């Protein structure tokens, strides 16, 4: 074998070793980051917000609007005559609080909006849902079932 082919073989092996070392470093760094995140989650346990007094409480639309998650307040959502505390579950503030994908429903009676899966404000805070069709009523019931199983009732 010539010395130039041995040189190339050495360069290739050295490159492969450096690549493997780089991948090992990235894996190790990721493992450390995940461990630190787990440790942080363990240090900051989830705490449910206090319930209103009395509980359950009858909310007016204006009172319900105060609970939109702003200024650290809980997130309440009305659905089919029941008010749920979305922040009573660890994922609730992320999903329904400020910046969350479902924040549009926060602090509102969203019965019709859930039934129609319509994010428009015109469907919020409407007390009458008697005109919903069969499909919309089934959709609404699936939301109610989810909320009943996951979030505390406060009103």
């Amino acid at each position: 074998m010539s010395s130039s082919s041995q040189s190339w073989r050495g360069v290739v092996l050295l490159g492969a070793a450096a690549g493997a070392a780089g991948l090992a470093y990235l894996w190790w760094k990721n493992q450390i980051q995940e461990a630190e995140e787990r440790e942080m989650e363990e240090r900051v346990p989830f705490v449910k917000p206090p319930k209103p007094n009395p509980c359950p409480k009858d909310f007016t639309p204006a009172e319900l609007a105060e609970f939109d998650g702003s200024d650290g307040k809980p997130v309440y959502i009305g659905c089919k005559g029941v008010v749920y505390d979305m922040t009573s579950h660890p994922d609730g503030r992320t999903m329904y609080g400020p910046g969350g994908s479902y924040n549009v429903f926060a602090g509102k009676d969203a019965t019709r909006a859930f039934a129609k899966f319509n994010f428009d404000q015109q469907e919020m805070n409407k007390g009458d849902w008697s005109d919903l069709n069969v499909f919309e009523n089934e959709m609404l019931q699936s939301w109610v079932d989810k909320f009943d199983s996951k979030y505390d009732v406060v009103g």
Side-chain angles (χ1 to χ4, degrees):
M1 205 186 278
S2 71
S3 66
S4 72
S5 70
Q6 285 181 338
S7 293
W8 280 107
R9 182 180 291 164
V11 169
V12 169
L13 289 174
L14 182 61
L23 288 174
Y25 170 75
L26 291 175
W27 175 84
W28 173 77
K29 185 176 177 183
N30 185 50
Q31 294 300 308
I32 296 296
Q33 185 176 8
E34 287 178 2
E36 288 172 350
E37 288 171 359
R38 280 191 304 272
E39 183 179 83
M40 180 63 92
E41 290 173 2
E42 292 171 4
R43 272 190 264 152
V44 183
F46 172 73
V47 177
K48 287 184 180 188
K51 292 184 178 184
N53 189 11
C55 186
K57 175 184 179 357
D58 288 332
F59 287 90
T60 66
E63 289 172 327
L64 185 58
E66 294 177 28
F67 295 94
D68 62 358
S70 62
D71 300 324
K73 291 181 185 173
V75 178
Y76 291 173
I77 293 179
C79 185
K80 210 172 177 183
V82 177
V83 177
Y84 297 93
D85 179 356
M86 309 318 266
T87 46
S88 65
H89 186 276
D91 297 332
R93 183 169 300 280
T94 304
M95 292 175 56
Y96 295 96
S101 53
Y102 292 103
N103 179 251
V104 68
F105 304 121
K108 298 176 182 74
D109 179 338
T111 303
R112 293 182 63 83
F114 286 129
K116 296 175 173 280
F117 205 72
N118 184 334
F119 287 54
D120 292 338
Q121 292 297 313
Q122 66 195 29
E123 293 296 338
M124 307 292 180
N125 294 324
K126 291 189 174 180
D128 181 23
W129 59 87
S130 63
D131 64 332
L132 298 176
N133 65 38
V134 172
F135 174 76
E136 292 166 338
N137 273 302
E138 288 176 4
M139 175 68 80
L140 178 58
Q141 190 57 49
S142 71
W143 282 98
V144 169
D145 292 344
K146 175 183 176 179
F147 294 161
D148 283 343
S149 70
K150 197 170 184 179
Y151 303 107
D152 291 348
V153 172
V154 292

